[in-house]
Each structure stands twice: as C-alpha cells, then as structure tokens.
Amino acid sequence: MPFGRTASTRPLTTLGALGVVTALALTGCANSSTSASDDASSSGKVSRVSVTLTNDGSDKCAVSETKVPAGPVTFTVKNESSTAITEVELLQDQRILGEKENLAPGLDAVRFTATLTGGKYQVYCPGADQELTDFTVTGKVTSTANSSAATLLDEGTKGYAEYVDGQVTDMVAAVKQLQADVDEGDLDAAKTDYANARPFYEHVESDVDGFVKKGYKATDNAGNLDYLIDMRASNLDDAVGWSGFHAVEKDLFQAGAITDTTKKTAAELTTNVQLLAKLVPTLDYKPEDLANGAAGLLEEVQSNKITGEEEAYSHIDLVDLAANVEGARQAFAYLKPGLTKLDPTLTKQIAKQFDATNALMDDYRNADDLGGFDTWDAATKASDANTISQQVQALQDPLSRLAEKVATA
C-alpha cells in the first residue's frame, strides 16, 4: 500500500445516501519492461505516453505527449536518475485516475493503462521542479458494446464485482472475531484471528483501496481508508499515527500484549472495514480495471511481501503473498472467456504461469503455522526470496499485457 496514495480503477462514484466517503477513480498499474515502440505517441487504438524522471542538477518529470485522442492510453514511466520523485499520478478534478509508485532510479520502466474520455487532466510528479503537467484528451470513447469479446468481458466484470463484495463481507466477519478475542485479552486466539483475516484484504486490495472519507483530501491519510486499514511501519504518517491491521499486529506479535490501545485500534479497524463493506457494492468495473488490479497485486508481492516489509512483526508474508496471487488469478479468471476470444495464446500463457506460481506456493503450505504457510523468517527469505520473485516476474510479464488487450476489445 503506498504512502498516502492508492491504486485501482473505477469511475468516480458519488455516494449519495451514504454521505460519508468519496470514491476515487484510480488505475492499478501493470508492471512491464518496455521497448522502443512503447514511446510512440500512438499505435493502433492505444495512445502511448512516456513519462521520464531525471536529475541533472534538478529533478524533472518529462511527459512525451500532452494531447491524445480519447480511448485507452498507456503511460510508460521510467525513473532514470531522480531520487526526489518516487511516484507519478494522472489526475482529474483532484481524482487519481492512474498511478505508479516506488519508482527507484534505474529500475525497469513500468506502465499503466486507463481508458480516458475528452477533458483536461494533469500528470502529477510530486518532488519534481514542476510537479504538474497539463494533459488534454480530445473526443469521446468509441463504443465496442457489440463485440462478442467485449460482451464476455463485461459479464466477467459483473461476476468479479460479486467476488469482491464477498471478500469484503468475509473480511468484516473475520475482523469482528479478531476484535472479540482482543477484547477478551486472548493473545493466542487474536494472533490466529489476525492471520485468518489478512487474506481477505490482500485478495482485493487493488480494487477497494480508492476511498477517502468525505471532507478529506486524497493525500490526507487521516481520511484515507486504505491507510486506516492497512498502513505499515514503513509508511507510518506521524501526523496520523498507527492504525489498522498492522497496528494490531505490532501489539500482538512484537509487544506480545493486549492493551487498552490495542482494543481501541481493533475497534477502529472493525468500524473502517464495515464502512468499506458499505461502499464496495457501489463500484462499477471495466475490464481493464481487473487487468490493472491483477498486475497491481503482483507488484505488491514484489515490493512488500517478498521483502518482509508487509508483515514486519508476525512474519506471515507468505500468507499475504499467496492471497495476492489468488486475487490476481480471480481477476484473470473472470476475464478469461473474453480474453480467450481476443488472444488465446496470451490466455494460455498467463494460465500456465498462474499454475506454476500456485504450484510453487504449495511448497510453503504448513498447517502448523499461522495462516497455513511457513513463517517468512530471515533464513527462509534468504534462501527462497529470489526463486519466488523470479516466478512472480514470469507471471507478471504476460499479465502486464492484459490491460491494453481488454481495453481495446
């Protein structure tokens, strides 16, 4: 989960009767290497824009194109040498429509795809000398509703929406159980509850992390539901303080004690996931949302789970990692019927890599450890992190091509 930002794709939702939260329109980001063709201003039905981050005495964010036609737009982001700029966002009316974060200098270029209609946008590079670059989209998106593949993809998004709703509903029940055992002061039970609750959020995080409480800015963690539910030690905002799952984790696993503060934090976590459960059914998805979200979950694996950053106190990172992979697989599964019509070769390639990744993760299953997976301790991480990372990358590479493929169906 990024510091003060979130990543997923939805149209802006006005929550009317709920009156509590505004849903941001965000785009999950597909990770991929790029070739020279990715820097072309447009190719076929997809417009392409490169964003290059540099430092030659000052930090610059260069946008290759500032005007494109309506439709799918792929933004390729490369940090060549800037240490001050670590993320790039696409904004419209204070909404985050697309995002890439953790952009360390020298890493491979990454990209995200969003379907944009005519209007004024901005490319935002916090930390750059010029942080905002105006970006214009002309015309309207051409309808592809009559495509048989498009129809199947649309049906898939509806089925996936039900899957997401179910995961969040189950998370509420699991978090309530966690709160109950925390309130009882039962440390061992609470540890088990914590491990049991975590996968639900990790299955769908890239789809539900775009909500900000009414009255708060998107960059204010005090109103950012993703921060309040899933902040980590590494992105602690001192102005807001500890909150959510990992605040409870720290008390249970590092301090080894349940205090009044733990009980308060657990109660706040329950309140926030219940609010999330009310909001998630209001979301509508596009096929590229599922594709971008799946890629985003695998990015979470590479950036936070394999490193051990996510579960710094409980060391159940493999539980979260497996959940991220499963969430990505579900998104792919709902797209698969339509994708098979579009590109059967790519579909088979992705399915094969999902099977290989799941087979690898099965080697770490352990019914005696919390969450059903081996503890991600220092020794296991040192010996196995590279193997897992390479397999996840083998899955990421073909999966990163999905967003453009389904956006242009």
Side-chain angles (χ1 to χ4, degrees):
M1 183 200 70
F3 177 88
R5 304 292 199 276
T6 52
S8 63
T9 310
R10 266 97 45 192
L12 179 66
T13 304
T14 302
L15 298 175
L18 293 175
V20 180
V21 175
T22 299
L24 295 178
L26 308 176
T27 302
C29 307
N31 182 19
S32 75
S33 299
T34 59
S35 63
S37 63
D38 288 316
D39 292 327
S41 61
S42 65
S43 177
K45 296 181 180 180
V46 181
S47 296
R48 302 184 188 277
V49 178
S50 63
V51 181
T52 306
L53 313 179
T54 59
N55 183 301
D56 56 0
S58 61
D59 291 282
K60 293 182 173 61
C61 174
V63 182
S64 65
E65 304 289 335
T66 58
K67 187 175 183 179
V68 298
V73 184
T74 293
F75 292 84
T76 299
V77 185
K78 172 69 175 176
N79 188 344
E80 293 185 348
S81 55
S82 175
T83 56
I85 312 170
T86 60
E87 62 184 296
V88 172
E89 299 172 357
L90 178 66
L91 304 177
Q92 185 183 52
D93 297 331
Q94 298 300 311
R95 296 174 295 154
I96 306 172
L97 301 174
E99 176 183 28
K100 288 303 299 180
E101 63 276 326
N102 301 319
L103 300 172
L107 293 182
D108 289 343
V110 291
R111 66 184 182 183
F112 64 88
T113 299
T115 300
L116 305 178
T117 191
K120 300 294 185 181
Y121 300 78
Q122 290 178 310
V123 176
Y124 176 42
C125 301
D129 290 350
Q130 179 181 325
E131 293 190 330
L132 293 169
T133 299
D134 290 337
F135 187 81
T136 302
V137 178
T138 60
K140 297 180 179 180
V141 176
T142 301
S143 174
T144 58
N146 293 327
S147 167
S148 60
T151 299
L152 290 171
L153 292 171
D154 183 60
E155 291 173 355
T157 64
K158 294 175 182 176
Y160 182 74
E162 294 180 1
Y163 165 75
V164 174
D165 293 351
Q167 290 298 306
V168 176
T169 297
D170 290 344
M171 178 175 63
V172 171
V175 169
K176 284 183 176 180
Q177 183 62 53
L178 171 62
Q179 183 189 353
D181 284 325
V182 166
D183 286 342
E184 288 293 324
D186 191 333
L187 182 62
D188 289 339
K191 287 181 177 180
T192 298
D193 297 336
Y194 174 81
N196 291 342
R198 288 294 295 148
F200 297 113
Y201 196 73
E202 295 297 331
H203 285 151
V204 298
E205 178 179 5
S206 60
D207 301 293
V208 302
D209 62 2
F211 291 104
V212 174
K213 290 183 177 181
K214 186 177 181 180
Y216 291 87
K217 295 181 179 179
T219 54
D220 187 351
N221 287 318
N224 186 318
L225 270 186
D226 185 44
Y227 179 87
L228 297 175
I229 291 171
D230 199 37
M231 58 76 68
R232 304 185 307 275
S234 59
N235 68 346
L236 175 64
D237 184 344
D238 291 331
V240 179
W242 280 93
S243 179
F245 274 117
H246 296 302
V248 175
E249 177 202 10
K250 184 178 182 182
D251 287 351
L252 298 181
F253 292 91
Q254 184 186 65
I258 293 173
T259 67
D260 288 342
T261 298
T262 315
K263 295 176 181 179
K264 180 175 181 293
T265 303
E268 291 172 347
L269 176 61
T270 299
T271 297
N272 286 326
V273 297
Q274 286 176 321
L275 176 57
L276 184 65
K278 292 179 180 179
L279 301 175
V280 167
T282 69
L283 298 177
D284 292 319
Y285 299 92
K286 297 177 182 177
E288 61 265 34
D289 299 343
L290 277 62
N292 282 326
L297 288 175
L298 296 186
E299 288 182 355
E300 282 279 319
V301 169
Q302 299 283 40
S303 63
N304 299 331
K305 273 65 174 189
I306 288 177
T307 63
E309 176 188 345
E310 184 80 31
E311 302 288 354
Y313 310 106
S314 62
H315 305 298
I316 62 165
D317 300 272
L318 290 180
V319 175
D320 291 4
L321 192 159
N324 283 158
V325 172
E326 175 58 24
R329 182 163 189 154
Q330 288 299 315
F332 168 69
Y334 281 101
L335 293 174
K336 191 174 180 180
L339 184 62
T340 299
K341 283 184 173 292
L342 294 173
D343 192 330
T345 301
L346 177 62
T347 304
K348 290 179 181 179
Q349 185 181 2
I350 294 172
K352 180 180 178 180
Q353 291 301 331
F354 266 120
D355 288 343
T357 304
N358 282 350
L360 176 62
M361 292 310 301
D362 283 344
D363 292 339
Y364 298 93
R365 292 189 182 276
N366 185 344
D368 295 328
D369 278 350
L370 288 175
F373 283 87
D374 289 338
T375 300
W376 196 232
D377 56 27
T380 306
K381 183 167 62 176
S383 63
D384 294 18
N386 189 54
T387 298
I388 295 176
S389 179
Q390 287 181 347
Q391 177 53 52
V392 172
Q393 187 62 53
L395 172 58
Q396 276 184 287
D397 288 342
L399 193 67
S400 69
R401 297 163 55 193
L402 269 188
E404 280 192 9
K405 186 70 65 174
V406 300
T408 57

